[in-house]
Amino acid sequence: GQNIDQPTEMTATEGAIVQINCTYQTSGFNGLFWYQQHAGEAPTFLSYNVLDGLEEKGRFSSFLSRSKGYSYLLLKELQMKDSASYLCAVRSRSNAGNMLTFGGGTRLMVKP
Amino acid sequence: DAGITQSPRYKITETGRQVTLMCHQTWSHSYMFWYRQDLGHGLRLIYYSAAADITDKGEVPDGYVVSRSKTENFPLTLESATRSQTSVYFCASLLAGEEQFFGPGTRLTVL
């Protein structure tokens, strides 16, 4: 089976940097995804890592270490609109059909 | 309408009734998925489909039925609704190897 862990809640200040961690255990790892979900809305895709290292997209970056089963999402220059849940999801070759297994999500609150 | 849509957006029903949630996508994506999202559990996969007429169970399929006679539609049916099926249901689709795109969700309450 798969196990994905991420913190339940985090709080940060507007303008600051926050790092949201995700650890996973899976066989046949085939990619890690981060999604953003605002309250009452659908998840939207943020980033994808399949190789070790850092992927940067504007204010958001995502890092992967396959040997450690570890990823993080880094949000810089936090804005109030970044208050949302951030979902870590793993794709595995042992899953048929591009299935994703999601962690429970991290609710980020950005304060002024 | 381009993208992925779900209907109804909100539904209240009673225990024992049959309910069908609709999902429609305009991208001709091969894969489609149904998730439910509950506090404390995150997103859990109910059923998925790799193509028309091909469906398979996910993590929590009990009490649900799906069909996929056309590529663009993937309805989810609760044959006899129970209170434990009160949840937010998301449909998603993707091209193989790409990220999943989610519909806006259906909030279902079973009384």
Side-chain angles (χ1 to χ4, degrees), chain A residues 45-110:
Chain A
F45 171 75
L46 283 179
S47 70
Y48 167 64
N49 296 71
V50 67
L51 300 176
D52 291 351
L54 190 67
E55 293 282 341
E56 296 186 78
K57 269 189 181 182
R59 293 189 300 115
F60 292 5
S61 304
S62 57
F63 171 82
L64 176 67
S65 169
R66 289 172 296 170
S67 62
K68 295 182 179 178
Y70 168 68
S71 173
Y72 68 73
L73 181 69
L74 193 70
L75 291 74
K76 302 176 185 176
E77 301 169 15
L78 280 172
Q79 302 175 10
M80 298 300 291
K81 68 178 182 179
D82 297 329
S83 292
S85 288
Y86 292 86
L87 314 179
C88 172
V90 171
R91 184 171 63 194
S92 168
R93 289 189 192 86
S94 63
N95 290 341
N98 290 272
M99 287 165 50
L100 295 179
T101 301
F102 284 83
T106 298
R107 188 166 69 178
L108 174 66
M109 290 178 282
V110 180

Side-chain angles (χ1 to χ4, degrees), chain B:
Chain B
D1 294 321
I4 183 166
T5 57
Q6 294 182 233
S7 62
R9 295 294 313 280
Y10 302 90
K11 177 73 177 179
I12 299 174
T13 190
E14 294 178 339
T15 301
R17 291 192 180 251
Q18 183 179 80
V19 178
T20 296
L21 309 184
M22 303 301 294
C23 179
H24 175 79
Q25 52 105 356
T26 60
W27 294 304
S28 299
H29 285 172
S30 299
Y31 291 94
M32 295 187 76
F33 307 83
W34 274 107
Y35 295 90
R36 60 177 290 173
Q37 187 172 38
D38 307 286
L39 281 174
H41 289 282
L43 281 162
R44 291 183 291 175
L45 184 65
I46 304 170
Y47 268 95
Y48 68 97
S49 169
D53 297 321
I54 301 175
T55 63
D56 208 344
K57 296 177 180 179
E59 180 186 354
V60 289
D62 293 344
Y64 303 96
V65 174
V66 293
S67 62
R68 192 151 177 224
S69 57
K70 293 183 178 181
T71 300
E72 61 266 30
N73 296 324
F74 191 38
L76 175 74
T77 297
L78 289 67
E79 293 190 301
S80 178
T82 65
R83 290 195 182 89
S84 65
Q85 292 177 311
T86 293
S87 186
V88 180
Y89 291 85
F90 287 102
C91 178
S93 71
L94 68 79
L95 283 172
E98 302 294 328
E99 70 269 21
Q100 293 187 17
F101 294 88
F102 286 82
T106 294
R107 187 174 294 273
L108 176 68
T109 301
V110 183
L111 302 176

Side-chain angles (χ1 to χ4, degrees), chain A residues 18-61:
Chain A
V18 71
Q19 178 175 310
I20 302 173
N21 295 325
C22 172
T23 58
Y24 63 89
Q25 293 175 311
T26 187
S27 56
F29 175 83
N30 193 28
L32 189 141
F33 295 77
W34 285 96
Y35 282 81
Q36 180 190 59
Q37 185 178 24
H38 285 101
E41 297 183 8
T44 55
F45 171 75
L46 283 179
S47 70
Y48 167 64
N49 296 71
V50 67
L51 300 176
D52 291 351
L54 190 67
E55 293 282 341
E56 296 186 78
K57 269 189 181 182
R59 293 189 300 115
F60 292 5
S61 304

